[in-house]
Structure formats: structure tokens, C-alpha cells
């Protein structure tokens, strides 16, 4: 068996663009999921009563469905109802963000509720408003506590970005399949892809763990 | 815009057939990945440094690459390396099992590590061998702690089976996407697919939450 | 007085070979030396109590006795033979010693009788029927036959420790090792465990007891060994150690814990 990395090397520019697309899709998803997920968690814990079960139902429903299903529905089915067409990248961003934000909200909720209720009472006793206690006392502690789960979520976001290849978003996996089909060198193309994804995802989780170990003491109360 | 929901009645048998494959794939993968996970965990806790390194590298690689990519690799690359043809179903089962085994290995390792050292001391002091200590004392206790995490993995696995549709495994997602191209009833079919996944996944997610409340260890 | 210092009387050693000998035992944990050349003996039928400040090495010595810890220098000799290096042979020696832990370490997924039966059935291949019969007799001996079907989580600390003693006895050991058996107990349940241990001593069981219960060591012990910084500071009959200690460090230790002579 001979290996020939020539097809990978000669198409490096094309693949590098895919890598850039994978990174930007992941980054935007992470930002959207962090913001939307945290908002959902805050509403579920501190929000008005009728909203809580609705959010719980939404989050559990999204958690119950495969990311692929959310993705193909958003890309193929949603435009038919809405009467507009979504380019693949934006459909992927919306679907991946919806999916990831459900996880983010669960992570954030676990972090918020793990802060002892005495912290809220102590903050109120100092004369702070509820919002101020949440912002200045509860959330900082929760942020530290959820770091390990947050790291795993970031890893999942990068992994799920590869699913966008199903709707032809030209990210790294999609471009790999194209080159593999054109050159008949799946061994080299897909093996390089495995190494590259590993090199992105592994340091990501490790890095977050490392940060967590340095700041863990700030989250204890 | 008009929707034709009657197409569902015609497609329902095929969709349910796909759903059956989804469930079968989930069950078979877990059946492979529990012994597989134990095997890899034993590698990771082995005193031999080579075995240990193999176990660690395996687990880290499997947990840090996209499943969909591994499915491509197993379906397109592995047959070239091993000179054998893998039908899609078996390639899908293999890719899922390779990844889930790694997750299970970590789950089992955490479960075993959570048992106090005194427990194995007490069993050793009675004259038990290391293997007996593992089998009679550590594993039964670790089982209770492992169960909720295993249930989590189960739900993720159930959803991840949809990803092997990319190599042509005739499970629910693949079936739905295929019917979509032949009937052109995109919205109806994809919505039906989503509803079927939801109807199967939602109770599972609730069951997992319940298991966590019942057995979950508060750290 | 000076004669008493030279050779304290050790009645149970007369004309007998020691069953356990610690010969210049050294044990290190990294850069910390836990045992620094310990020399001591245990004779058959004796109750030997190891006392001393926390971290002085007495528990470590006990764990070296049945090779739960390996030693770095010297030798632990049991019944005339150094403890074997090989794990499968060490297991044969461990069967001949029973051990009771500070934190009980009952197996939480087994009932009380299940715990007592676990050793004989797993290690000796005893049949379930016989193991149960013998186990019930042992539970009766520690006064807990009515708790046979209870799980450890349903028992008080004192009850758990008595089950743990029965579990160790089920292997018909020649020596019983006790590692601070009452330190984790509520004060009101300490007595019931000490009573079981005392009964065992009266039956002639050879016992090595690491303990902070000075009155137990004084009344039940045949021989008391005082530890400090991984060494034996002083040893002798309880009358000497608790009534008239020779070494300054023994006196300091006893007065520190509030023992009045």
C-alpha cells in the first residue's frame, strides 16, 4: 500500500479555506449559543412563572433531537414555511446555535443553581438589588464552576460543525469529501482530516480545563 | 403554498422501518460498547506503560474527532487498508462503537476511581486477588455511579445514529431524506422525521433526568 | 526501679517463638520516612497495642504487616517466614490475618451476613450454606444476628464495626489487626466495639491494635509499644507505660492527651 499526500498538498489552499469556514462557523455558533443559552437559563431560573415550563419544554425537545434533524429541517423545510431562502452557511449557523444553546442553557442552569442560596440572601442583606446579586455574585461563581462542561460544549460545537457538510456548507469536511471524490485518495484526505480536527478540538478542551484549574477556587463559596 | 400531508400515510411504513433501524443501531452499538469500554478502561489502568499509552491515545482521539468524519473514514478508508468491503450498516455500527466505547471507557474509569481505596484494602486483607476485588467489590459499586452517565451516553448515541446516514445506512434520517427527494414533499416528510425523533428522544431524555435524580452523585 | 527498666516481664513470650517480627522496617512515601527502622515482636495470644501521636507510623506498620503496603528496607516476618514478594503468595499470608479498619470498609452493596460470607466464599471456596452458618454464628458472637439482612447503610457505626470484626473472623485468622477501630465512632458506640475486642482477647486471639483508647490498652493490652516519628520510643507492659513510663517522649505524649498517672 502506497500513500500519496500529493492531492492533499496540491489542494491545500482549497482545504485551508474550509478550515477557516469550520473555525468561523464554530466560533459564531459558540458566541450565539453562549448568549442565547445563558439568557434561557436565567429566564428559567429567575424568570416569570408561566415562562419556566415553556422554556423547559423547548430545551428538552431540542435535546431530544439529533443535530442533523434540526439542521436539515432548518435548511430544507423552514424556508418553505417562512417563504424565504437561507444560504447553507446561515442555515447551519442558526441550526447549530439552536442546538448548542439548549445544552448551554442546561450547563448554565446547573452552574447557577449550584451556587448556594445563602449567597443570594447575603447579597440582598447588603442592600443589593436582585439583578445586581445575580450579575455580581451569582454569575461570576457560576461561570467558574461551569468551565469544564463549557469546554466539552465547545468541543461538541466544533464536532457538530462538520455535520453542516450535509447541507453543502463548504467547511473542512465537505471540502475533504469533494477532494476525496475527485482524486480517489480517501486514505490520505480523511486521515489528514482526522488529525486536523483532533489538533483543533483536543487543545480546546485541555485549554479550558487548564484555565479552570487556575481559577477553580474563585467559584467556591 | 399548499402542503399535502396525505403523503405521510404513504411514507409512514418506510419511516417507521427507518426508525426501527435507528433503534437497532443504538442497541447493537451499546451492546458492543459496554464490553468494548471495559476493555479500553483496562488498557488505561494497566500497569504496562505501552498498553496504557495505547488506551490513552485511543480514548483521546476518539473523543476529539467528529463522528461523521470517522464514519467516512471507516466506510471509505478502512476497506482500502484492510482489503474488505463493509456494508453501510456494519460500517455505521463500527464507527459508532469505536466512539461510544471510548466514552464508556472514561465513564467506567471514573466509576472505578470513585470507590474509596479502603474498599479494595478491605477486600485484599481478606485474601482476595486483584481480579476478585475488581469483580466482586469495585465493579458492583461502580455500577450504580456509572448508570446515569451511561444513560446520558445512550441518548447521545440514539441521536448520533442519524449521522451515519451520510454513508447510506438506512436509518430514520436517511430514509426521510430519500423519500423527500422522490416525493418532493420536503416540509411534510422532514417534519414527520423530526416528530418521530422527538417522540422517541423526549421520553428518553426525561428518563435520564429521572435516573440522575435517583442515582446521581452530588459532588 | 532500675531492674524493671532493664528487662520488663513479657509473660506470653516465655518459651515461645514470636508470630510476627518487625526487623528494622523502613517505609518511605516519597521523601517522607514513615517508618524508620522499626524493631518489634508479637507473640501468640498477645494483645499488642500501638500508641503514639497521629502520623507517628503506627497505622503504616499495621498495613505493612499484611502487605497492604510494601516496605523499603528490613523485613516483616510472619510465622518464621518473611512476607513473600509475590502477590499470589502474599495473598495466602493475608488469609491468615484479619484486618479491621478505622472507616469499617464494609461492602455497601452486600448485607451484613453477605459481608461476613464474602471472604470464605470468594477466597476459600466455602459453600454458601456453610459460610452462612458460620457467618451467623459470628454475627451472634458480636451480638448482631438480628441485623444479618441489613445493609451497612442501615447500621450504626458501632454495629458496622462489629460486622467488620465478624467479617475478618470468618477467615479464621491467626492474627487480628485493628487500625484505630473506634476512632470514627460516636462516643456512645465505642463501648460495644471495645467489649467485642475484649472478649476476643479473653479467648486468646493474637491481636495488634492501633488505638487512641488508652484505657483499653491499659486494661486489655499485654504489651504496649509507643511510636513517635516512625520509631519505637518505648515498649513494655501497660503497667510500665501507663504507670511509670521511662522515656520523656512517652510521658509528654501521655500528658498531652490528658492521661493521668
Amino acid at each position: 500500500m502506497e500513500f500519496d499526500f500529493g492531492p492533499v498538498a496540491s489542494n491545500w489552499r482549497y482545504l485551508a479555506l474550509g478550515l477557516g469556514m469550520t473555525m468561523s462557523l464554530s466560533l459564531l455558533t459558540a458566541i450565539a449559543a453562549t448568549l442565547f443559552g445563558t439568557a434561557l437559563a436565567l429566564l428559567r431560573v429567575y424568570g416569570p412563572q408561566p415562562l419556566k415550563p415553556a422554556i423547559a419544554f423547548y430545551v428538552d425537545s431540542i435535546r431530544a433531537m439529533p443535530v442533523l434533524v434540526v439542521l436539515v429541517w432548518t435548511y430544507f423545510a423552514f424556508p418553505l414555511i417562512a417563504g424565504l431562502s437561507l444560504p447553507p452557511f446561515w442555515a447551519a449557523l442558526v441550526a447549530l446555535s439552536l442546538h448548542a444553546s439548549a445544552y448551554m442553557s442546561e450547563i448554565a442552569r446547573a452552574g447557577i443553581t449550584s451556587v448556594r442560596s445563602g449567597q443570594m440572601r447575603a447579597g440582598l442583606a447588603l442592600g443589593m438589588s436582585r439583578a445586581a446579586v445575580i450579575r455580581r455574585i451569582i454569575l461570576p461563581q457560576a461561570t467558574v464552576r461551569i468551565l469544564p462542561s463549557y469546554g466539552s460544549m465547545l468541543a461538541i460545537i466544533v464536532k457538530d460543525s462538520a455535520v453542516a457538510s450535509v447541507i453543502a456548507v463548504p467547511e473542512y469536511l465537505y471540502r475533504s469529501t469533494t477532494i476525496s471524490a475527485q482524486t480517489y485518495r480517501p486514505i490520505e484526505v480523511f486521515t489528514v482530516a482526522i488529525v486536523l480536527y483532533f489538533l483543533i478540538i483536543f487543545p480546546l478542551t485541555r485549554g479550558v480545563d487548564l484555565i479552570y484549574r487556575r481559577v477553580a477556587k474563585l467559584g467556591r463559596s | 403554498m399548499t402542503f399535502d400531508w396525505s403523503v405521510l400515510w404513504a411514507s409512514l411504513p418506510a419511516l417507521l422501518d427507518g426508525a426501527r433501524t435507528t433503534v437497532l443501531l443504538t442497541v447493537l452499538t451499546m451492546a458492543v460498547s459496554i464490553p468494548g469500554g471495559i476493555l479500553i478502561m483496562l488498557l488505561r489502568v494497566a500497569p504496562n506503560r505501552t498498553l496504557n499509552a495505547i488506551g490513552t491515545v485511543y480514548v483521546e482521539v476518539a473523543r476529539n474527532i467528529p463522528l461523521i468524519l470517522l464514519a467516512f473514514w471507516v466506510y471509505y478508508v478502512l476497506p482500502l487498508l484492510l482489503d474488505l468491503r463493509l456494508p453501510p450498516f456494519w460500517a455505521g455500527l463500527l464507527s459508532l462503537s469505536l466512539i461510544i466505547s471510548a466514552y464508556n471507557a472514561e465513564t467506567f474509569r471514573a466509576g472505578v476511581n470513585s470507590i474509596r481505596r479502603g474498599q479494595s484494602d478491605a477486600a485484599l486483607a481478606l485474601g482476595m486477588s486483584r481480579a476478585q476485588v475488581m469483580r466482586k467489590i469495585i465493579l458492583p459499586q461502580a455500577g450504580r455511579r456509572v448508570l446515569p452517565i451511561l444513560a446520558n451516553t445512550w441518548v447521545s448515541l440514539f441521536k448520533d445514529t442519524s449521522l451515519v446516514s451520510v454513508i447510506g445506512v438506512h436509518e430514520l434520517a436517511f430514509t426521510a431524506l430519500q423519500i423527500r427527494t422522490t416525493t418532493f414533499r420536503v416540509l411534510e416528510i422532514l417534519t414527520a422525521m423530526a416528530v418521530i425523533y422527538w417522540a422517541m428522544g423526549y421520553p428518553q431524555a426525561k428518563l435520564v433526568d429521572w435516573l440522575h435524580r435517583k442515582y446521581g452523585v452530588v459532588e | 526501679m532500675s531492674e524493671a527498666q532493664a528487662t520488663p516481664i513479657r509473660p506470653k513470650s516465655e518459651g515461645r517463638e514470636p508470630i510476627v517480627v518487625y526487623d528494622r522496617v523502613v517505609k518511605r512515601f516519597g521523601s517522607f520516612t514513615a517508618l524508620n527502622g522499626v524493631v518489634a515482636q508479637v507473640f501468640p495470644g498477645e494483645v499488642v497495642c500501638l500508641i503514639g501521636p497521629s502520623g507517628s507510623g503506627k497505622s503504616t506498620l499495621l498495613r505493612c504487616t499484611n502487605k497492604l503496603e510494601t516496605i523499603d528496607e528490613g523485613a516483616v516476618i510472619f510465622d518464621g517466614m518473611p512476607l513473600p514478594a509475590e502477590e499470589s503468595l502474599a495473598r495466602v499470608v493475608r488469609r491468615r490475618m484479619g484486618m479491621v479498619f478505622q472507616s469499617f470498609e464494609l461492602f455497601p452493596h452486600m448485607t451484613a451476613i453477605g459481608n461476613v460470607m464474602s471472604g470464605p466464599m470468594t477466597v476459600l471456596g466455602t459453600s454458601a450454606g456453610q459460610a452462612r452458618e458460620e457467618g451467623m454464628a459470628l454475627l451472634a458472637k458480636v451480638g448482631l444476628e438480628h441485623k444479618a439482612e441489613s445493609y451497612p447503610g442501615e447500621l450504626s457505626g458501632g454495629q458496622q464495626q462489629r460486622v467488620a470484626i465478624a467479617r475478618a473472623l470468618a477467615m479464621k485468622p491467626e492474627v487480628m489487626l485493628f487500625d484505630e477501630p473506634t476512632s470514627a465512632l460516636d462516643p456512645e458506640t465505642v463501648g460495644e466495639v471495645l467489649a467485642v475486642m475484649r472478649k476476643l482477647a479473653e479467648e486468646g486471639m493474637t491481636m495488634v491494635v492501633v488505638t487512641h483508647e488508652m484505657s483499653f490498652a491499659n486494661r486489655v493490652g499485654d504489651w504496649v509499644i509507643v511510636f513517635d516519628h516512625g520509631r519505637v520510643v518505648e515498649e513494655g507492659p501497660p503497667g510500665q507505660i501507663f504507670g511509670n513510663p521511662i522515656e520523656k517522649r512517652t510521658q509528654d505524649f501521655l500528658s498531652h492527651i490528658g492521661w493521668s498517672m
Side-chain angles (χ1 to χ4, degrees):
Chain A
M1 169 128 291
E2 282 174 30
F3 298 104
D4 176 10
F5 287 94
V8 178
S10 60
N11 288 297
W12 74 270
R13 214 178 283 273
Y14 178 73
L15 286 172
L17 283 173
L19 197 60
M21 177 80 68
T22 290
M23 303 268 224
S24 49
L25 181 58
S26 303
L27 184 67
L28 291 175
T29 304
I31 293 170
T34 305
L35 296 176
F36 187 42
T38 308
L40 282 176
L42 285 172
L43 281 174
R44 188 164 170 192
V45 178
Y46 301 112
Q49 190 46 246
L51 214 52
K52 291 180 183 177
I55 292 173
F57 181 74
Y58 167 78
V59 168
D60 288 343
S61 293
I62 292 280
R63 281 202 305 149
M65 281 196 283
V67 63
L68 177 88
V69 170
V70 181
L71 182 74
V72 296
W73 199 89
T74 309
Y75 181 60
F76 294 116
F78 175 71
L80 298 179
I81 306 177
L84 54 85
S85 89
L86 270 176
F89 182 87
W90 294 104
L93 178 58
V94 169
L96 295 177
S97 303
L98 280 178
H99 192 255
S101 60
Y103 284 91
M104 180 66 204
S105 84
E106 285 297 275
I107 293 170
R109 187 169 67 101
I112 291 167
T113 50
S114 78
V115 178
R116 281 182 295 130
S117 55
Q119 293 283 307
M120 172 64 89
R121 286 196 294 274
L124 293 176
L126 287 173
M128 293 186 194
S129 70
R130 238 171 104 80
V133 178
I134 292 169
R135 209 174 59 245
R136 290 164 60 181
I137 314 282
I138 312 274
L139 282 186
Q141 293 181 49
T143 305
V144 171
R145 290 171 184 215
I146 65 169
L147 273 179
S149 326
Y150 189 72
S152 339
M153 190 196 68
L154 292 180
I156 290 173
I157 286 176
V158 181
K159 285 190 247 180
D160 282 353
S161 74
V163 181
S165 63
V166 171
I167 57 166
V169 175
E171 46 68 75
Y172 192 81
L173 181 61
Y174 181 80
R175 291 181 190 230
S176 292
T177 54
T178 321
I179 295 204
S180 163
Q182 282 169 2
T183 62
Y184 304 106
R185 303 304 310 188
I187 299 185
E188 294 83 353
V189 172
F190 286 125
T191 305
V192 167
I194 284 187
V195 172
L196 265 181
Y197 273 104
F198 179 79
L199 288 180
I200 299 172
I201 299 169
F202 184 71
L204 196 61
T205 38
R206 277 304 147 93
V208 175
D209 275 353
L210 223 63
I211 296 171
Y212 174 67
R213 252 176 268 151
R214 304 194 100 187
V215 299
K217 59 179 181 298
L218 299 176
R220 297 196 198 107
S221 60
Chain B
M1 173 156 305
T2 57
F3 298 116
D4 175 12
W5 295 97
S6 67
V7 70
L8 287 183
W9 294 113
S11 317
L12 203 57
L15 288 175
L16 290 182
D17 211 41
R20 217 172 52 220
T21 306
T22 292
V23 173
L24 182 69
L25 205 50
T26 311
V27 172
L28 286 181
T29 302
M30 201 41 119
V32 172
S33 303
I34 286 177
I38 292 176
L39 204 75
I40 297 162
M41 173 204 72
L42 291 176
L43 283 182
R44 284 210 74 178
V45 299
N48 180 308
R49 289 180 64 170
T50 317
L51 293 181
N52 201 298
I54 293 173
T56 307
V57 169
Y58 177 86
V59 166
E60 292 300 355
V61 171
R63 292 164 76 220
N64 287 292
I65 56 170
L67 168 63
I68 193 166
L69 169 59
L70 184 70
F72 279 128
W73 197 88
V74 166
Y75 189 61
Y76 292 114
V77 177
L78 204 60
L80 297 176
L81 295 176
L82 300 180
D83 207 21
L84 59 80
R85 188 96 196 90
L86 268 180
F89 182 85
W90 296 103
L93 176 60
L94 180 58
S95 356
L96 287 166
S97 302
L98 285 172
I99 291 215
I100 300 298
S101 295
Y103 279 98
N104 283 354
E106 285 304 272
T107 305
F108 295 146
R109 196 168 66 104
V112 166
N113 287 345
S114 71
I115 309 301
R116 279 203 310 262
R117 182 180 165 193
Q119 285 284 304
S120 61
D121 279 351
L124 288 172
L126 286 173
M128 290 189 198
S129 67
R130 301 245 164 223
Q132 285 172 328
V133 174
M134 195 44 112
R135 216 171 55 241
K136 307 252 171 183
I137 307 303
I138 308 292
L139 287 182
Q141 293 186 55
R144 287 177 72 91
R145 315 215 175 185
V146 160
L147 191 66
I149 308 170
L150 224 45
N152 272 359
T153 309
W154 170 276
V155 174
S156 305
L157 163 64
F158 165 76
K159 293 184 286 179
D160 283 350
T161 55
S162 65
L163 296 180
V164 297
S165 62
V166 296
I167 55 167
V169 181
H170 284 57
E171 42 65 74
L172 179 53
F174 182 87
T175 311
L177 290 167
Q178 211 177 32
I179 298 173
R180 169 194 63 117
T181 54
T182 53
T183 64
F184 300 104
R185 305 314 312 183
V186 176
L187 177 78
E188 296 85 339
I189 294 295
L190 293 187
T191 304
M193 167 185 78
V195 169
I196 296 175
Y197 268 115
W198 181 88
M200 293 198 289
Y202 193 83
Q204 290 181 43
K206 284 285 150 195
L207 190 67
V208 170
D209 288 348
W210 176 80
L211 275 174
H212 273 272
R213 280 197 299 276
K214 189 163 188 309
Y215 293 115
V217 180
V218 181
E219 298 297 341
Chain C
M1 280 319 281
S2 53
E3 273 99 322
Q5 281 176 35
T7 39
I9 307 142
R10 192 163 183 177
K12 288 179 181 167
S13 70
E14 296 289 317
R16 293 202 219 187
E17 290 298 318
I19 185 152
V20 182
V21 175
Y22 302 98
D23 183 11
R24 286 159 289 175
V25 174
V26 175
K27 171 69 187 174
R28 298 184 194 94
F29 294 105
S31 60
F32 174 70
T33 305
L35 298 174
N36 195 358
V38 171
V39 177
Q41 295 177 324
V42 178
F43 288 90
E46 262 186 344
V47 176
V48 173
C49 293
L50 310 182
I51 65 170
S54 300
S56 58
K58 47 200 197 306
S59 284
T60 304
L61 186 74
L62 203 69
R63 297 168 58 80
C64 291
T65 313
N66 64 351
K67 212 163 173 287
L68 285 181
E69 299 284 0
T70 50
I71 60 175
D72 293 307
E73 286 171 37
V76 176
I77 297 158
F78 176 67
D79 198 15
M81 299 267 285
L83 292 185
E86 214 222 312
E87 176 73 13
S88 63
L89 298 175
R91 232 151 57 214
V92 178
V93 176
R94 280 195 197 122
R95 287 180 206 169
R96 299 171 62 189
M97 304 186 210
M99 190 164 199
V100 174
F101 298 83
Q102 177 177 357
S103 46
F104 329 135
E105 300 301 348
L106 288 182
F107 306 134
H109 57 303
M110 299 178 188
T111 58
I113 184 70
N115 266 279
V116 179
M117 291 160 67
S118 65
M121 284 181 65
T122 317
V123 179
L124 305 176
T126 311
S127 72
Q130 193 191 341
R132 176 171 290 273
E133 196 177 314
E134 291 175 4
M136 287 306 289
L138 286 169
L139 283 180
K141 181 174 179 157
V142 299
L144 286 172
E145 70 270 48
H146 61 292
K147 293 285 186 190
E149 302 303 329
S150 300
Y151 282 90
E154 302 162 354
L155 301 174
S156 73
Q159 289 170 331
Q160 288 191 55
Q161 195 60 299
R162 281 145 70 196
V163 174
I165 293 172
R167 177 178 71 180
L169 290 173
M171 294 296 290
K172 306 192 177 72
E174 295 157 52
V175 178
M176 283 285 281
L177 310 172
F178 290 88
D179 188 4
E180 302 195 23
T182 57
S183 297
L185 295 176
D186 293 331
E188 64 266 29
T189 62
V190 169
E192 63 193 59
V193 172
L194 292 179
V196 168
M197 290 169 63
R198 182 173 202 146
K199 195 158 96 183
L200 217 51
E202 283 160 2
E203 290 169 7
M205 174 61 78
T206 309
M207 294 163 57
V208 184
V209 185
V210 172
T211 187
H212 293 299
E213 292 290 331
M214 295 306 149
S215 54
F216 176 84
N218 189 21
R219 265 181 278 156
V220 183
D222 294 301
W223 196 252
V224 179
I225 302 178
V226 187
F227 271 75
D228 196 20
H229 291 101
R231 287 174 189 277
V232 174
V233 173
E234 179 174 0
E235 58 178 326
Q240 169 195 322
I241 301 294
F242 293 106
N244 195 8
I246 297 158
E247 293 293 325
K248 172 87 167 58
R249 271 190 289 172
T250 308
Q251 295 162 8
D252 289 348
F253 168 67
L254 288 173
S255 70
H256 183 75
I257 60 166
W259 179 266
S260 50
M261 272 155 252

